[in-house]
């Protein structure tokens, strides 16, 4: 569940109680957050100010629908290339940009480790969440205490896929397919958040430690949706952020 704040961004109420982190999700009101376009800098700066994080500590990714993850060792604004997840204990804000794909944020309250991941259909198929949690385990973190939140994404109500892709997924994840694949009037619909929750639990995350925004980007007026946008060469995106302060 997420809530809109008076300054316009969304938050997960359960993460709000931790005083050593900031987190938020931007909306269409802040404008496009695509870092590739220079004119968006002012949008990102305004959002950073509202969220309470220095623009100079904002870390981004040039996302490529991989399942690759990297560790962040710098404490200044930076863009990581060819990566779809970042993990850190540095005092920075990690950002994941999406418009229908599933943005995921991770927080371990014990070691104060944070992570973000971009899990669209390709990243989910390749189980990027598992790679993030491998990094956590590699740092000696007990993932049982880790809190994970899934941001707004296109959901099965609006996410039709072709038979070929449906077959790919049902072959790779046969034991969960009833939960995330639906067939209606010869069309397949996929529920990525549902599959991601299974992947997270298989990697050791407790069910009660998973939060879900439960908002469909295609239906919502507050978030950008790739499928809904006419100009797909210039897809507008929103960002989901988590930072250590
Ligand atoms: Zn929908």
């Amino acid at each position: 569940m997420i809530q809109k704040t008076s300054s316009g961004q969304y938050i997960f109420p359960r993460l709000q109680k931790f005083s050593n982190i900031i987190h938020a999700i931007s909306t269409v009101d802040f404008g496009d957050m695509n870092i590739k376009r220079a004119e968006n800098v002012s949008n990102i700066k305004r959002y950073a100010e509202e969220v309470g994080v220095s623009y100079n500590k904002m870390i981004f990714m040039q996302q490529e629908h991989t399942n690759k993850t990297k560790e962040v060792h710098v404490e200044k604004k930076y863009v990581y290339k060819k990566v779809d997840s970042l993990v850190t204990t540095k005092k920075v804000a990690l950002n994941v940009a999406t418009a229908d794909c599933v943005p995921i944020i991770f927080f371990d309250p014990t070691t104060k480790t944070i992570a973000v991941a971009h899990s669209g259909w390709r990243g989910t198929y390749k189980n990027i969440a598992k790679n993030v949690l491998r990094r956590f385990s590699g740092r000696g973190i007990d993932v049982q205490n880790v809190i994970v939140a899934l941001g707004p994404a296109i959901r099965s109500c609006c996410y039709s896929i072709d038979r070929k892709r449906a077959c790919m997924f049902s072959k790779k994840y046969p034991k969960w397919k009833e939960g995330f694949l639906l067939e209606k009037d010869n069309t397949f619909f996929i529920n990525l958040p549902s599959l991601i929750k299974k992947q997270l639990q298989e990697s050791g995350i407790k069910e009660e430690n998973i939060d879900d925004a439960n908002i469909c980007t295609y239906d919502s007026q507050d978030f950008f949706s790739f499928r809904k946008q006419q100009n797909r060469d210039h897809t507008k995106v929103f960002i989901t952020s988590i930072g250590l302060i």
Side-chain angles (χ1 to χ4, degrees):
M1 188 191 75
I2 52 174
Q3 267 174 15
K4 198 169 189 174
T5 65
S6 56
S7 39
Q9 69 274 25
Y10 276 83
I11 51 116
F12 289 94
R14 84 138 71 175
L15 285 175
Q16 203 65 5
K17 65 176 188 219
F18 296 100
S19 56
N20 41 18
I21 55 165
I22 59 94
H23 80 285
I25 309 163
S26 74
T27 61
V28 296
D29 300 338
F30 287 94
D32 184 16
M33 295 287 170
N34 193 327
I35 47 158
K36 286 179 200 155
R37 290 191 277 282
E39 68 267 28
N40 292 338
V41 168
S42 59
N43 297 344
I44 298 168
K45 280 186 172 167
R46 184 162 73 90
Y47 167 80
E49 197 170 306
E50 290 295 353
V51 173
V53 56
S54 161
Y55 173 71
N56 297 321
K57 295 272 179 92
M58 299 276 274
I59 307 268
F60 294 90
M61 302 180 280
Q62 274 183 4
Q63 303 161 191
E64 294 195 341
H65 298 279
T66 67
N67 63 352
K68 290 195 188 111
T69 170
K70 274 186 190 165
E71 309 235 351
V72 171
H73 299 296
V74 293
E75 284 199 4
K76 62 176 186 354
K77 187 179 174 293
Y78 198 75
V79 179
Y80 284 78
K81 288 178 184 159
K82 295 184 183 171
V83 69
D84 288 85
S85 165
L86 295 170
V87 180
T88 197
T89 50
K90 297 287 178 193
K91 288 189 173 171
V92 291
L94 304 177
N95 297 284
V96 51
T98 57
D100 289 343
C101 291
V102 187
I104 316 177
I105 55 179
F106 302 76
F107 175 54
D108 176 42
T110 315
T111 59
K112 296 182 185 63
T113 303
I114 55 172
V116 290
H118 164 233
S119 195
W121 76 262
R122 292 178 187 86
T124 306
Y125 181 80
K126 292 180 272 197
N127 203 343
I128 189 167
K130 184 179 179 177
N131 284 353
V132 178
L133 292 165
R134 261 197 205 135
R135 292 248 181 209
F136 275 63
S137 303
R139 286 168 168 261
I141 294 169
D142 180 0
V143 296
Q144 290 226 11
N145 303 322
V146 173
I147 296 165
V148 185
L150 313 185
I154 192 166
R155 301 185 78 97
S156 53
C157 44
C158 300
Y159 197 4
S160 58
I161 55 169
D162 62 23
R163 182 173 292 270
K164 193 178 150 203
R165 199 179 296 174
C167 284
M168 261 175 77
F169 273 91
S170 62
K171 268 187 199 150
K172 181 137 189 192
Y173 300 103
K175 60 183 171 183
W176 299 326
K177 66 180 180 189
E178 276 79 28
F180 72 85
L181 267 184
L182 292 97
E183 193 182 354
K184 213 168 86 183
D185 304 328
N186 267 331
T187 306
F188 288 94
F189 293 88
I190 190 161
N191 186 334
L192 290 183
S194 164
L195 174 54
I196 293 167
K197 283 181 211 170
K198 292 289 182 194
Q199 293 174 331
L200 289 166
Q201 286 174 64
E202 192 179 55
S203 289
I205 300 292
K206 285 187 189 164
E207 189 175 8
E208 62 265 33
N209 285 347
I210 305 173
D211 215 338
D212 182 353
N214 215 356
I215 284 183
C216 174
T217 41
Y218 194 92
D219 293 319
S220 170
Q221 302 302 312
D222 270 338
F223 302 99
F224 292 114
S225 161
F226 173 74
R227 283 207 169 191
K228 214 162 60 181
Q229 289 177 51
Q230 301 297 320
N231 185 352
R232 292 193 176 180
D233 296 330
H234 274 242
T235 307
K236 293 180 177 176
V237 294
F238 62 93
I239 51 178
T240 301
S241 325
I242 183 162
L244 289 164
I245 49 175

